[in-house]
Amino acid sequence: MSALLEARGLKKRFGGNEAVSNVSFVVNAGECVVLAGDNGAGKSTVIKMISGVYTPTEGEVHFDGRLITGRSAEAVRSAGIETIYQDLALADNLDPGLNLYLGRERTRRILGLPFLDRKAMRRDAVDVLKSLGIVVPDPTLPVRDLSGGQRQSIAIARAIHWQAKLVIMDEPTAALGVPEQREVMALIGRLKSQGVGIILISHNLPDIFAAADRIIVLARGVVAGERRPSETNDEEIVRMMMGATL
Amino acid sequence: MTDTTAKNKTGALILRSLLNGWSWLFLIGILVFFEAYARIQTGDTFLLRLYSIQSIAIAASQILLLALGLTLVIVAGHIDLSIGFTTGLSAVVMALIIRLIGADAGWFAVIGGIAVGLFAAMVVGLVNGWLVAILNVPSFIGTLGTYGIARGMALIVAGGATVSIRSEEARSIGNGDILGVPVPVLIAGLLALACHYVLQHTKFGVHTYALGANRASVERAGVDVKRHLIQLFVISALTAGVGGLIYTGRFSAGAANAGEPILLYAVAAVFIGGASLTGGQGTVIGTVIGAFIIAVIQFGLVFSGLPPYWQFVAVGLVIIVAVLVDQSRDRLLQGAGP
Ligand SMILES: Nc1ncnc2c1ncn2[C@@H]1O[C@H](COP(=O)(O)OP(=O)(O)O)[C@@H](O)[C@H]1O
Ligand SMILES: [Mg+2]
C-alpha cells in the first residue's frame, strides 16, 4: 500500500541559513505522526513546505499519489490537506458557522440576489461540532466568546467538514488548560478512527506518547531519528531533541 | 439552570442590548430634547414639519455619502482620510466637464460630468488601494498623503476658484425631490441600502469583517486580500465622489473644499455607529444612526437659535462617549458572561 503522504529530501534555505536539510518521512491513512523537536528545530518550516506556504529549496512532496510540491496553499488545501496553525487563524468576530465556511460561504438567492445563508452555515457547524462531541452553548455568538478548546475544535471541525485526508496541527495544545488538552487529544483519536492521517507538531512528551503512532525527531533542521512509542522512552526522545544523533 | 445564572443571563442580555443600542437611544434623546426646547421656548414644534425633516435628512445624507464607503474600510481595520478631498475633486471635475461640453447639451453634459467626476474619484481610490495593499503603507499615513494630493489636484484643475455652472439638469439632481424626498436623500438612501447589503449579506462583507479581525483568517481561506483591500478603497472613493457630484448639483458650482468640513463628521458617524479603530466591528445601520445624530445636533442648534458653534462641542462629546462605550464593551460583558 502506498503512503498517504511522502516527503522526500526536503530542504529549505532562508538566505544563507539552512533551516531544514534532507528531511524525509511518510504518513499513512489513519496514522498519527508526531514531529518532535526543540524550538527552532525546523518543525514549522517542514509543515509549511507541505501545506504550500513555502516552496522547498530542494525535495518533493507526494500526496495521494500525486506530486504537490510548489502548489499554492489554496491548491494544497483543496487537494485534501488541512493545516491548523498555532494561532488557529479564526475570525474572532464571526460565529462558528461563518468560520467553518470562511472563503467558501453558502448563499441562497432572494429575488435573484445572493444572500449569505447564515442559518444553514450555523446548523452545519453545530452538526459537525456535535459529531466531535462538542456542544457550543450559543452558536450565534462570535467565536471570541468560546473557550480555547472549543476554538480549537472549530479549526478541527473545518478540516472534517471539508473532508481533509491529512490534518496538520502545529502545537494544538500549547495554549490550552489540561482538560482542554485532553479534549484535543481525544479529537485526534476520533480523526484517526475516521481514516484521516495526522501530522502533529509537539514538544510535550506526554502528548507525544499519547498520540503518536510514530515519532520523528528533528534537531537543527535534520531528522535525528524515527521511533515507535513502544520502542522508545522519554529519555531517548529528549536526548534526540537535544541533538545527540541516533 | 439555577436562578442566579438565569438572572445573570438576562442581565447580560440587557447590558449587551444597551451597549449595542445606545446610539438609537441617544438619537431619540436629542430629538426629544430639541422638541421640548422648541415647545418651551417658542411654543412650536421642532420635528413635526416637513422642512425640519428634509433639512435633517439632507445634512445626514451629505455626511453619509462620505461615511458609507468609509464604514467598510474601517470594518476592515483601515481608514480613509482622503475622502474629504475626493469629494472636492469629483465636484470640481464634474463642473469643469459640464462647462467643457456646454450646459446647453443638457443631460448629455451632466452625464459626462458624472462619469468623469466618478472616474477621478476612482483613481484616488485605486492609488489608496495600491499604497495600502501593495506597498503596505499604513492607511492612516497613505490616505493622509492622498488627502493632500487630491486637495492639490482639485485646486489646480479648478484654478484655485469655485467652478460655477448653469445647468438646470445638474440643479435638479441637487435640489429636486421625488414625492417630497429630496434627490440627494434618495441617492444616499439607495447607496446606504447597497452598502448594507454588501456588508451584511455577501461573501465580500464577511471577508471584510474577517479581515478586520484577523488578516490570517481570510488569507488562509484563500481570499485575495490585496485585491479585496483595493476594492474597499475604490468603494470608499466612489461614495465620496457621489457626494461631490451632489454638491455640484446643489450649489451649481464645484469647489475643491466641498467635502472638507464633512470629513470629521463622517469619521465620527462611523465610530458613533459602533465601529472600532481596531477593525472587525461596525455596521451601515450604525453609521446611518451616527450621521442622523450629527445632523440633528447641527440643525437642532440652528433651529433653536442656540449659537451653532455648540455643534462642534456636542459632536466632540458624542465621539468621546462612543469610544468609551466601545472600550467598556468587552470588560462589562466579560463580567456578565455570554
Ligand atoms: N521566514 C523565515 N525567514 C528566515 N528564517 C526563518 C524563517 N522561518 C524560520 N526560520 C528559521 O528556521 C529555523 C527553524 O524554524 P522553525 O521551523 O520555526 O522551527 P520550530 O517550528 O521547530 O520551532 C529557525 O532558525 C528560524 O529562525
Ligand atoms: Mg514552530
Side-chain angles (χ1 to χ4, degrees):
Chain A
M1 192 191 101
S2 76
L4 179 63
L5 179 100
E6 183 172 2
R8 276 189 214 149
L10 289 180
K11 172 192 281 195
K12 184 71 191 174
R13 212 179 277 134
F14 295 109
N17 170 26
E18 200 162 301
V20 169
S21 328
N22 195 28
V23 167
S24 304
F25 64 94
V26 299
V27 182
N28 297 304
E31 182 189 40
C32 177
V33 171
V34 170
L35 274 186
D38 206 357
N39 281 329
K43 307 182 296 291
S44 295
T45 304
V46 167
I47 60 153
K48 283 176 181 169
M49 286 190 276
I50 294 170
S51 65
V53 174
Y54 294 154
T55 307
T57 310
E58 272 175 34
E60 289 178 353
V61 181
H62 295 261
F63 177 67
D64 230 6
R66 251 176 269 145
L67 183 70
I68 61 162
T69 336
R71 286 200 196 172
S72 71
E74 185 51 22
V76 170
R77 202 151 80 105
S78 46
I81 300 180
E82 194 81 20
T83 308
I84 300 169
Y85 294 97
Q86 251 162 317
D87 63 7
L88 297 185
L90 294 176
D92 272 339
N93 54 349
L94 302 178
D95 70 20
L98 285 170
N99 269 289
L100 181 67
Y101 277 96
L102 198 58
R104 302 179 263 206
E105 294 82 0
R106 286 178 67 171
T107 57
R108 67 204 166 103
R109 288 189 177 270
I110 300 175
L111 300 172
L113 271 185
F115 279 74
L116 291 171
D117 198 344
R118 289 171 190 265
K119 263 194 208 140
M121 292 188 271
R122 204 171 282 148
R123 206 167 45 229
D124 289 353
V126 169
D127 286 349
V128 184
L129 287 169
K130 205 186 283 167
S131 79
L132 293 173
I134 302 232
V135 176
V136 175
D138 182 352
T140 63
L141 291 181
V143 300
R144 87 163 76 82
D145 292 351
L146 301 180
S147 72
Q150 288 170 336
R151 288 159 50 79
Q152 186 81 46
S153 68
I154 286 174
I156 295 172
R158 196 147 58 178
I160 293 179
H161 185 67
W162 297 107
Q163 302 184 334
K165 293 182 195 146
L166 178 72
V167 174
I168 302 175
M169 294 188 230
D170 195 349
E171 311 238 16
T173 60
L176 301 181
V178 174
E180 296 183 325
Q181 291 182 9
R182 279 207 201 103
E183 261 175 50
V184 171
M185 298 312 281
L187 280 177
I188 290 174
R190 240 164 286 165
L191 283 178
K192 272 169 50 172
S193 68
Q194 294 175 14
V196 176
I198 294 168
I199 301 176
L200 174 69
I201 290 191
S202 180
H203 56 219
N204 175 300
L205 288 167
D207 277 4
I208 293 173
F209 279 91
D213 294 304
R214 272 180 304 121
I215 305 165
I216 293 165
V217 182
L218 285 184
R220 296 192 209 103
V222 299
V223 176
E226 182 176 332
R227 295 286 186 278
R228 290 186 179 280
S230 57
E231 9 167 284
T232 183
N233 54 40
D234 290 10
E235 233 173 284
E236 189 190 25
I237 296 294
V238 171
R239 200 152 14 93
M240 292 198 296
M241 291 205 290
M242 302 314 282
T245 23
L246 307 181
Chain B
M1 188 192 295
T2 66
D3 209 36
T4 48
T5 60
K7 242 184 222 156
N8 264 344
K9 260 200 163 148
T10 10
L13 201 69
I14 292 170
L15 191 59
R16 193 183 288 274
S17 332
L18 270 180
L19 287 172
N20 292 332
W22 75 274
S23 55
W24 287 93
L25 293 175
F26 193 88
L27 178 60
I28 294 168
I30 54 173
L31 283 171
V32 169
F33 169 80
F34 281 118
E35 183 68 24
Y37 187 88
R39 299 237 170 170
I40 291 164
Q41 290 290 312
T42 65
D44 207 354
T45 177
F46 160 70
L47 193 61
L48 301 177
R49 52 172 88 206
L50 189 61
Y51 174 72
S52 300
I53 294 174
Q54 283 186 340
S55 304
I56 291 171
I58 287 177
S61 66
Q62 283 174 334
I63 298 169
L64 262 186
L65 286 172
L66 272 78
L68 283 175
L70 181 65
T71 303
L72 272 67
V73 170
I74 289 178
V75 167
H78 289 271
I79 190 122
D80 185 353
L81 297 175
S82 68
I83 47 176
F85 284 101
T86 305
T87 296
L89 183 64
S90 83
V92 168
V93 167
M94 176 181 177
L96 278 173
I97 295 296
I98 290 176
R99 263 199 187 177
L100 205 70
I101 300 178
D104 309 337
W107 280 109
F108 179 70
V110 172
I111 289 169
I114 289 174
V116 184
L118 285 180
F119 178 77
M122 193 181 74
V123 171
V124 181
L126 284 171
V127 172
N128 285 334
W130 174 68
L131 287 171
V132 174
I134 312 292
L135 299 185
N136 288 318
V137 177
S139 55
F140 187 90
I141 311 288
T143 61
L144 195 60
T146 49
Y147 168 96
I149 294 169
R151 176 186 207 168
M153 290 310 294
L155 286 166
I156 289 166
V157 295
T162 307
V163 185
S164 58
I165 52 169
R166 274 172 219 296
S167 159
E168 272 315 305
E169 292 79 9
R171 249 182 69 82
S172 71
I173 293 177
N175 301 285
D177 65 275
I178 294 173
L179 300 173
V181 183
V183 174
V185 175
L186 205 65
I187 293 173
L190 288 175
L191 280 177
L193 214 58
C195 287
H196 173 77
Y197 166 73
V198 167
L199 195 54
Q200 293 307 318
H201 297 296
T202 67
K203 298 181 176 206
F204 186 86
V206 176
H207 301 162
T208 304
Y209 278 105
L211 182 56
N214 179 2
R215 182 176 173 136
S217 70
V218 254
E219 255 165 3
R220 226 184 72 75
V223 175
D224 186 341
V225 171
K226 290 181 176 166
R227 191 187 141 113
H228 192 94
L229 277 171
I230 293 172
Q231 287 169 334
L232 284 171
F233 280 100
V234 168
I235 292 172
S236 173
L238 284 177
T239 64
V242 171
L245 305 179
I246 288 172
Y247 181 96
T248 297
R250 252 167 81 71
F251 300 104
S252 287
N257 64 356
E260 192 199 9
I262 317 170
L263 171 62
L264 276 183
Y265 286 157
V267 176
V270 179
F271 288 119
I272 292 170
S276 152
L277 251 187
T278 49
Q281 273 188 81
T283 60
V284 170
I285 294 175
T287 298
V288 171
I289 300 295
F292 269 93
I293 286 176
I294 296 169
V296 168
I297 291 174
Q298 280 181 324
F299 182 75
L301 290 171
V302 175
F303 185 89
S304 318
L306 295 166
Y309 308 116
W310 280 104
Q311 64 173 289
F312 304 122
V313 178
V315 173
L317 287 174
V318 184
I319 295 172
I320 291 171
V321 171
V323 172
L324 289 177
V325 169
D326 179 43
Q327 283 187 343
S328 58
R329 200 185 307 259
D330 286 343
R331 194 159 35 81
L332 287 175
L333 285 177
Q334 220 141 58

